[in-house]
């Protein structure tokens, strides 16, 4: 036996992929507690509501400084944060986000198990049972890596937001159906009961509206997988029974969601703010339904392209998956061959979510996030059948991403004038990533393996480049925090709840927000001292805070929103001022 054969026996490919999947999953912990991770601004809105509610010592009603952002989500989301944060005793971003990581890992495990089971059952996947089993394990690991490498997963599956918990409970229903379609769809009451409970919990994390896409998807599964009928052949024997099952699931889920009204001391406010304002409002538009549907950022095109844009760096591979599936379908026509019921269930799940969320006037790719695990499984299933060009295009995008991370890092060095701001390992990592992307484009044998890891590598680089600003550089001194405890401090805010971030930056201070569309350009600093002694002002690199101020401390910050006048070219021309700013703690100077 040669040394190479011995090495292959000790390190079989499927174990390497499983190890890589575990490393990617652990990579989600890197920089998790920092202020500068990819997220939606709503995370801070939810954190604000959870913190104030926890301070009351009661589960309900929800509390907020503003009526328009109080009952914005069902209570389970806030209860999760209240428990994770120890009712305010351990109120850190890391603690609030850990439940999201647990949910995200669980979803990744479900995608891996589904891909493994489907590939293992596909006799065409490998000629021998042992080879098929190893191949299935490798494809399961790749499915998990793909899911964790979607930008939508990284952005909404780490912060304290609704997407990870909601996706777990909703996708869990599909996972059960895809795992054993014949048995579960034939179940008289056990599966409908458990599915209704899972859907209800998902609704308590997100909204009662989730019964619509999930109910529609289940109805399609009962029709096409259970009855073996086309979706349009709804007039058939047994439709009443299956319809009752789906209806029972949805009614049970709505009943669970309705517990909120039963236990909340202010059910009328829940109805007005959440049902009418947060949900019904998404069906209205002053411009008219069709005017919105076919133009703008809320158009139907947003949903039609949503699965691809959610993938971001893996967008070409996602497109290639659809192309490979269509090509495979055309090749099977007239041969009697068909895809597995599990694969059909995932296509139906994605179809149901896309069709349902084309209806509201307010459309967002976030609505499709509960279907992204299904896309990850499908990509793994078609991995070897996706044309190489799609992987090469993905590597081009990842190469651009790596260069962008280098540019941001270069801007940080220029801004701080700190040549060793980043570890040399960071630059080695970026260089290795860029070389790997080029090598994957040139050598066919390496294309798919490198693509599987390159997307997450860019996301990891994004976490790495912001790491110094989550540490001491992004904080005030310890004596400054002690000085501000119990003191009112004016802080800039340019989005709903954005001021809540300062609860973690200067814990113990009384935060008084002032609106600054562009904090670095806010000039009326004198007005801040009318209500507080201390204020925080941001300035571009090299600018002074204000003439009438005395600087007490300073820290580095990443700019959250750039001025449209700067344009994208500003990121290349002056990355040190486009991405970075200084924040000063000031008080009025003595006359």
């Amino acid at each position: 036996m040669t040394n190479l054969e011995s090495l292959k026996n000790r390190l079989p490919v499927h174990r390497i992929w499983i190890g890589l999947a575990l490393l990617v999953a652990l990579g989600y912990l890197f920089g998790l507690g920092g202020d500068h991770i990819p997220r939606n601004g709503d995370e801070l809105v939810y954190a604000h509501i959870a913190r104030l509610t926890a301070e009351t010592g009661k589960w309900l009603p929800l509390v907020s400084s503003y009526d328009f952002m109080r009952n914005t989500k069902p209570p389970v989301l806030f209860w999760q944060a209240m428990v994770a944060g120890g009712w305010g005793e351990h109120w850190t971003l890391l603690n609030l986000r850990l439940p999201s990581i647990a949910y995200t890992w669980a979803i990744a495990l479900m995608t891996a198990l589904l891909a493994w089971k489907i590939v293992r059952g596909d006799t065409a996947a490998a000629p021998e049972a042992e080879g098929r089993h190893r191949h299935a394990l490798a494809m399961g690991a790749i499915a998990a890596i793909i899911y964790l490498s979607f930008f939508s997963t990284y952005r909404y599956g780490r912060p304290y937001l609704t997407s990870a918990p909601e996706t777990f409970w909703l996708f869990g229903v599909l996972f059960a159906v895809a795992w054993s379609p014949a048995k579960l769809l034939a179940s008289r009451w056990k599966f409908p009961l458990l599915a209704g409970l899972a859907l209800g919990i998902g609704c308590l994390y997100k909204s009662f509206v989730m019964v619509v896409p999930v109910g529609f998807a289940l109805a399609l599964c009962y029709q096409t997988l259970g009855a073996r009928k086309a979706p349009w052949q709804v007039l058939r024997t047994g439709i009443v029974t299956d319809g009752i099952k789906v209806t029972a699931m949805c009614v049970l889920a709505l009943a669970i969601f309705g517990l909120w009204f039963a236990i909340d001391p202010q059910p009328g406010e829940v109805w007005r703010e959440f049902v009418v304002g947060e949900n019904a409002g998404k069906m209205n538009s002053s411009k008219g339904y069709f005017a919105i549907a076919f133009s703008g950022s809320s158009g139907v095109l947003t949903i039609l392209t949503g699965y691809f844009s959610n993938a971001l760096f893996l967008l070409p591979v996602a497109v290639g998956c659809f192309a490979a599936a269509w090509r495979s379908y055309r090749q099977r026509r007239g041969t009697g061959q068909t895809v597995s019921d599990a694969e059909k269930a995932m296509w139906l799940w994605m179809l149901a979510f896309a069709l349902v969320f084309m209806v509201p006037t307010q459309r967002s790719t976030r609505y499709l996030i509960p279907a992204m695990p299904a896309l990850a499984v499908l990509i793994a299933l078609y991995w070897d059948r996706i044309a190489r060009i799609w992987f090469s295009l993905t590597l081009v995008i990842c190469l651009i991403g790596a260069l962008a991370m280098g540019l941001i890092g270069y801007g940080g060095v220029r801004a701080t004038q700190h040549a060793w701001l980043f570890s040399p390992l960071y630059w080695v990592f970026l260089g290795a990533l860029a070389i790997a992307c080029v090598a994957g484009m040139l050598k066919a044998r390496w294309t798919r393996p490198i693509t599987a890891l390159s997307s997450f590598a860019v996301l990891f680089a994004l976490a790495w480049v912001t790491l110094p600003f989550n540490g001491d550089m992004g904080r005030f001194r310890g004596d400054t925090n002690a000085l501000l405890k119990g003191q009112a401090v004016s802080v800039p805010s340019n989005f709903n709840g954005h001021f809540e971030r300062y609860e973690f930056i200067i814990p113990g201070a009384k935060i008084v927000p002032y609106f600054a569309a562009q904090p670095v350009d806010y000039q009326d600093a004198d007005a801040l001292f009318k209500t507080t002694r201390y204020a925080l002002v941001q300035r571009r690199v090299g600018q002074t805070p204000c003439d009438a101020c005395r600087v007490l401390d300073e820290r580095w910050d990443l700019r959250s929103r750039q001025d449209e006048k700067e344009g994208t070219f500003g990121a290349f021309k002056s990355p040190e001022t486009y991405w970075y700013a200084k924040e000063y703690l000031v008080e009025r100077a003595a006359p």
Side-chain angles (χ1 to χ4, degrees):
M1 181 180 292
T2 65
N3 292 334
L4 181 59
E5 290 173 341
S6 176
L7 180 62
K8 286 183 177 180
N9 289 333
R10 291 199 306 270
L11 295 174
V13 173
H14 67 283
R15 292 184 181 178
I16 295 176
W17 279 115
I18 292 173
L20 291 172
L22 291 174
L23 285 176
V24 169
L26 291 175
Y28 263 56
L29 295 172
F30 186 72
L32 183 63
D35 182 45
H36 305 293
I37 70 171
R39 62 183 178 187
N40 185 281
D42 288 344
E43 179 190 35
L44 296 169
V45 175
Y46 302 152
H48 174 76
I49 297 170
R51 178 178 60 83
L52 293 189
T53 304
E55 288 177 358
T56 67
K58 299 178 181 179
W59 296 99
L60 288 171
L62 301 176
V63 180
S64 174
S65 300
Y66 303 96
D67 289 339
F68 64 87
M69 62 177 198
R70 179 177 47 165
N71 290 306
T72 59
K73 286 293 181 292
V76 174
L77 173 69
F78 306 107
W79 295 346
Q80 173 184 296
M82 291 158 61
V83 172
W87 289 79
E89 293 295 322
H90 310 288
W91 204 256
T92 65
L93 286 172
L94 177 62
N95 288 336
L96 295 187
R97 291 167 176 168
L98 284 175
S100 294
I101 291 293
Y103 273 120
T104 299
W105 284 347
I107 299 165
L109 179 60
M110 284 194 287
T111 63
L113 289 174
L114 269 184
W116 164 74
K117 189 175 190 298
I118 297 170
V119 173
R120 187 190 62 170
D122 184 0
T123 56
E128 300 177 357
E130 181 61 26
R132 184 166 64 248
H133 176 64
R134 292 187 176 190
H135 181 68
L137 287 172
M139 289 300 102
I142 288 175
I145 292 173
I146 292 298
Y147 175 69
L148 294 172
S149 299
F150 287 150
F151 185 69
S152 62
T153 307
Y154 194 73
R155 182 179 181 185
Y156 298 109
R158 298 174 76 221
Y160 164 50
L161 269 173
T162 60
S163 296
E166 136 209 350
T167 300
F168 172 81
W169 291 104
L170 300 184
F171 183 72
V173 176
L174 174 69
F175 174 81
V177 172
W179 190 266
S180 183
K183 180 180 178 180
L184 293 185
L185 294 178
S187 173
R188 300 182 64 180
W189 64 271
K190 289 184 179 179
F191 172 67
L193 174 61
L194 294 176
L197 290 173
L199 178 54
I201 297 174
C203 289
L204 276 176
Y205 267 109
K206 181 68 172 180
S207 170
F208 63 91
V209 173
M210 302 313 294
V211 301
V212 180
V214 175
F216 183 34
L218 288 173
L220 292 175
C221 288
Y222 273 104
Q223 176 76 358
T224 59
L225 306 182
R228 301 295 174 183
K229 299 290 184 179
W232 54 86
Q233 293 177 313
V234 295
L235 298 177
R236 58 174 175 81
T237 303
I239 184 65
V240 174
T241 302
D242 293 342
I244 290 175
K245 291 179 182 179
V246 174
T247 303
M249 295 180 209
C250 295
V251 170
L252 177 57
L254 290 174
I256 294 173
F257 178 84
L259 293 174
W260 183 11
F261 292 89
I263 63 178
D264 197 298
Q266 301 173 347
E269 295 300 301
V270 174
W271 177 268
R272 180 180 63 85
E273 296 174 15
F274 184 75
V275 177
V276 177
E278 185 74 10
N279 289 273
K282 294 179 180 179
M283 295 296 296
N284 300 321
S285 174
S286 58
K287 296 181 179 180
Y289 181 85
F290 291 101
I292 294 293
F294 299 104
S295 66
S297 59
S298 290
V300 172
L301 190 62
T302 299
I303 300 298
L304 291 176
T305 60
Y307 289 119
F308 307 127
S309 57
N310 277 342
L312 193 58
F313 297 112
L314 288 168
L315 184 153
V317 170
V319 174
C321 175
F322 277 71
W326 176 252
R327 186 172 59 252
S328 179
Y329 166 74
R330 290 176 60 88
Q331 291 172 350
R332 288 193 308 269
R333 290 178 64 182
T335 65
Q337 297 179 345
T338 183
V339 299
S340 66
D341 285 350
E343 181 181 336
K344 289 179 182 177
M346 278 172 285
W347 286 113
L348 293 173
W349 183 262
M350 293 174 61
L351 175 66
F353 270 78
L355 291 177
V356 167
F357 287 115
M358 285 185 191
V359 175
T361 53
Q362 181 177 324
R363 302 174 183 88
S364 170
T365 57
R366 288 179 60 185
Y367 301 158
L368 301 179
I369 288 178
M372 293 304 291
L375 177 59
V377 175
L378 290 170
I379 290 176
L381 296 184
Y382 285 92
W383 188 254
D384 295 324
R385 288 174 281 179
I386 298 174
R388 181 170 173 254
I389 182 63
W390 300 110
F391 292 97
S392 297
L393 290 174
T394 296
L395 290 175
V396 170
I397 296 176
C398 290
L399 177 60
I400 295 172
L403 295 176
M405 294 306 108
L407 178 65
I408 295 173
Y410 169 70
V413 171
R414 286 192 58 177
T416 61
Q417 295 297 303
H418 183 5
W420 299 102
L421 176 66
F422 301 102
S423 164
L425 289 176
Y426 173 72
W427 303 108
V428 172
F429 179 80
L430 288 183
L433 174 57
I435 292 172
C437 289
V438 174
M441 286 184 273
L442 296 177
K443 195 170 183 63
R445 187 178 179 183
W446 297 349
T447 303
R448 284 173 173 79
I450 292 176
T451 302
L453 299 170
S454 59
S455 178
F456 182 76
V458 178
L459 298 177
F460 190 81
L462 177 60
W464 201 340
V465 79
T466 60
L467 190 65
F469 303 93
N470 290 328
D472 292 338
M473 294 185 67
R475 304 190 189 107
F476 292 119
R477 300 188 307 268
D479 60 321
T480 300
N481 290 333
L483 170 68
L484 297 179
K485 278 192 179 294
Q487 299 292 325
V489 183
S490 295
V491 302
S493 181
N494 59 4
F495 189 73
N496 290 341
H498 189 251
F499 56 84
E500 187 68 17
R501 66 194 291 250
Y502 292 99
E503 293 289 342
F504 305 99
I505 295 173
I506 44 176
K510 296 179 180 179
I511 304 301
V512 180
Y514 66 90
F515 179 76
Q518 278 295 313
V520 296
D521 294 326
Y522 186 85
Q523 297 299 324
D524 194 11
D526 291 342
L528 305 180
F529 302 115
K530 294 180 180 178
T531 56
T532 63
R533 176 180 176 181
Y534 303 104
L536 299 182
V537 293
Q538 286 191 6
R539 288 292 180 263
R540 300 174 191 272
V541 178
Q543 291 182 333
T544 57
C546 61
D547 295 335
C549 300
R550 185 167 71 93
V551 177
L552 301 179
D553 203 350
E554 62 185 47
R555 71 181 193 94
W556 284 97
D557 198 14
L558 293 178
R559 296 179 60 184
S560 59
R561 297 191 177 196
Q562 279 71 30
D563 192 338
E564 293 182 359
K565 296 179 180 178
E566 295 180 83
T568 306
F569 185 70
F572 299 91
K573 183 179 179 180
S574 54
E576 69 277 12
T577 59
Y578 187 86
W579 300 107
Y580 303 96
K582 264 199 171 182
E583 189 162 72
Y584 299 89
L585 171 67
V586 297
E587 65 177 354
R588 186 184 294 276

